Amino acid sequence: PKAVMWAFPAAVVSALMNLLKQQTGYRSNSSSGSVMVAFSSFISILGFVVVFRSNQAWNRYWEGAALVQKVRSTWFNVASSLIAFSSRKEEDQEK
């Protein structure tokens, strides 16, 4: 949904530029090699960013899972201590 807001205008501009190029018969003077270098550089940087963000998200997930486990163990410790130190026997209540 949010990605469509960014992708749709870019797709429209790209389609219009392609249509304009076909109607005017535009021919580029640059070789396709420079375009491939730019494209491969872009893909390399994009790949690095995606891997970096995925790694960061993975680390956040495991940090959150560890914190949930810590909270769970603390509550378990509180509950077990409450049960262990709450006795109904008369001789244990004096301690």
Side-chain angles (χ1 to χ4, degrees):
K2 285 187 178 181
V4 172
M5 290 179 10
W6 291 97
F8 185 72
V12 169
V13 168
S14 176
L16 289 175
M17 289 177 69
N18 193 17
L19 183 65
L20 182 65
K21 181 179 128 181
Q22 288 176 357
Q23 286 182 352
T24 59
Y26 176 76
R27 296 274 183 208
S28 176
N29 292 336
S30 65
S31 65
S32 63
S34 63
V35 172
M36 290 304 294
V37 168
F39 183 72
S40 64
S41 299
F42 173 72
I43 294 298
S44 299
I45 292 170
L46 183 65
F48 176 75
V49 169
V50 167
V51 168
F52 178 74
R53 287 181 56 89
S54 297
N55 189 23
Q56 203 172 23
W58 184 255
N59 289 337
R60 270 193 242 125
Y61 168 77
W62 281 110
E63 182 182 358
L67 289 174
V68 166
Q69 178 64 28
K70 186 176 180 182
V71 167
R72 182 177 163 265
S73 66
T74 302
W75 276 108
F76 182 78
N77 192 17
V78 166
S80 64
S81 295
L82 190 69
I83 291 170
F85 296 119
S86 298
S87 176
R88 300 183 131 227
K89 296 180 184 176
E90 291 290 328
E91 63 270 4
D92 290 340
Q93 287 182 359
E94 294 174 6
K95 292 182 182 179

